[in-house]
Amino acid sequence: MKTNRYFILSILLFFQITNTIAQKKYDLITAYGNEDATLGQYFQFGCELKIMEILKGKQKIQLYGYQKCKKDNNTDFYKVYYLGQTYLINTKKVNIKPDEELFLKSLDSSETEIMENKLLEITKKESVESQQKIDNLVKKYNAKGKEKGILIKNSNVFDQSEYTEGTGFKIQFLNMSKKTIKYIWFTVKGINSVNDVVSSKTLKGIGPINPNSESEYSYDYVWLTDIVAKCKLPIIKIQYMDGTFKTIQNADDLEISNELYDYMFKFEKDDE
């Protein structure tokens, strides 16, 4: 009776594992790398990977395959998808469930191809979603820039000199209005390293700045101290050549990254 009972339990366990494998056949396995686990894309010496990424803490990774090192069958790796790139990771550096380990190690060549095709589908989907997010941001700042009449490429403070105490300010922006700017005033708050305001300054720029043209201003020794670590730009005031004025509150909201700014410029060119 005991023999029959063990036999039945073994059969049930076998079907449970087989069923688990079948259910996950086309799914990437979510796992966690050990502390300071390393990822690589090719071998440097023997079965040692050329380190390209280090996992800090127990970071989530996705596994889509398995391979042994050709020079040492005792050293094996999982194929990893992490932050949009594919890598290898030593199996000893991964926390994975026993049934998932069995699944990956049991993949034959045709099943490996299926998993790689699944990965390709995921990367294509992520690429489309990422592009959509970028396009939405471009449209958002394009509309905001046209509404406010200006878009800021960058604004920041800089240390004036290692020999004197002083902090300067520079700004680069695009005139997105249909009018030529005659004068422009920047109200800048200098902030120290513990986020307290050092002082506010109003700086004046002289045009003309034509529509759809970039302009850049740099101001030396705005603050006669080195304690200013960053800045905020709460207000920009503009006078146009036709005598009209515009005041922009919360001007910081009009600053975007250089990459998005450059993409937006291309976006607008393609739109014309």
Side-chain angles (χ1 to χ4, degrees), residues 31-34 37 61 63 78 80 89-96:
Y32 293 87
N34 297 338
I61 55 178
L63 311 179
Y78 291 125
V80 180
I89 187 170
N90 192 295
T91 57
K92 294 181 176 64
K93 297 181 179 180
V94 180
N95 293 313
I96 185 173

Side-chain angles (χ1 to χ4, degrees), residues 16-27 103:
Q16 183 181 4
I17 292 174
T18 304
N19 187 48
T20 301
I21 291 173
Q23 288 176 350
K24 297 188 175 182
K25 193 170 233 4
Y26 304 119
D27 292 333
F103 165 65

Side-chain angles (χ1 to χ4, degrees), residues 57-231:
K58 294 183 178 180
Q59 292 190 31
K60 185 168 69 174
I61 55 178
Q62 290 183 291
L63 311 179
Y64 67 96
Y66 169 81
Q67 77 174 61
K68 288 186 176 182
C69 178
K70 293 180 179 178
K71 295 183 179 180
D72 181 4
N73 281 333
N74 294 320
T75 306
D76 51 359
F77 301 87
Y78 291 125
K79 297 178 180 179
V80 180
Y81 180 62
Y82 176 70
L83 298 181
Q85 297 289 327
T86 57
Y87 301 96
L88 294 171
I89 187 170
N90 192 295
T91 57
K92 294 181 176 64
K93 297 181 179 180
V94 180
N95 293 313
I96 185 173
K97 295 177 182 178
D99 59 320
E100 293 172 335
E101 178 183 3
L102 178 61
F103 165 65
L104 288 171
K105 291 184 177 181
S106 67
L107 292 173
D108 59 26
S109 58
S110 60
E111 290 171 328
T112 297
E113 185 177 352
I114 291 171
M115 291 291 285
E116 289 174 349
N117 287 335
K118 179 69 175 181
L119 175 61
L120 184 61
E121 291 174 13
I122 291 171
T123 55
K124 284 181 178 178
K125 181 181 178 183
E126 288 181 349
S127 177
V128 170
E129 290 174 349
S130 177
Q131 187 63 51
Q132 186 62 52
K133 287 179 182 178
I134 292 172
D135 290 344
N136 289 340
L137 279 174
V138 167
K139 290 176 183 178
K140 171 186 173 182
Y141 281 103
N142 187 41
K144 188 179 287 190
K146 287 181 178 178
E147 176 193 354
K148 301 297 183 180
I150 192 172
L151 199 64
I152 301 169
K153 188 171 185 178
N154 59 67
S155 65
N156 57 279
V157 297
F158 60 91
D159 184 32
Q160 205 65 62
S161 170
E162 61 179 309
Y163 304 107
T164 60
E165 288 196 355
T167 305
F169 171 78
K170 60 183 176 182
I171 185 169
Q172 186 177 4
F173 61 91
L174 175 70
N175 177 12
M176 293 191 68
S177 72
K178 296 180 180 180
K179 300 179 180 181
T180 299
I181 295 174
K182 184 176 183 180
Y183 297 111
I184 186 166
W185 293 266
F186 309 101
T187 298
V188 188
K189 286 184 179 180
I191 312 292
N192 65 20
S193 58
V194 292
N195 293 322
D196 287 333
V197 176
V198 177
S199 65
S200 294
K201 304 287 185 179
T202 298
L203 310 170
K204 184 178 181 181
I206 301 174
I209 307 167
N210 294 322
N212 298 315
S213 295
E214 282 188 5
S215 189
E216 183 174 0
Y217 293 93
S218 182
Y219 303 90
D220 292 334
Y221 292 99
V222 177
W223 297 273
L224 300 178
T225 175
D226 287 337
I227 67 172
V228 176
K230 56 185 177 180
C231 65

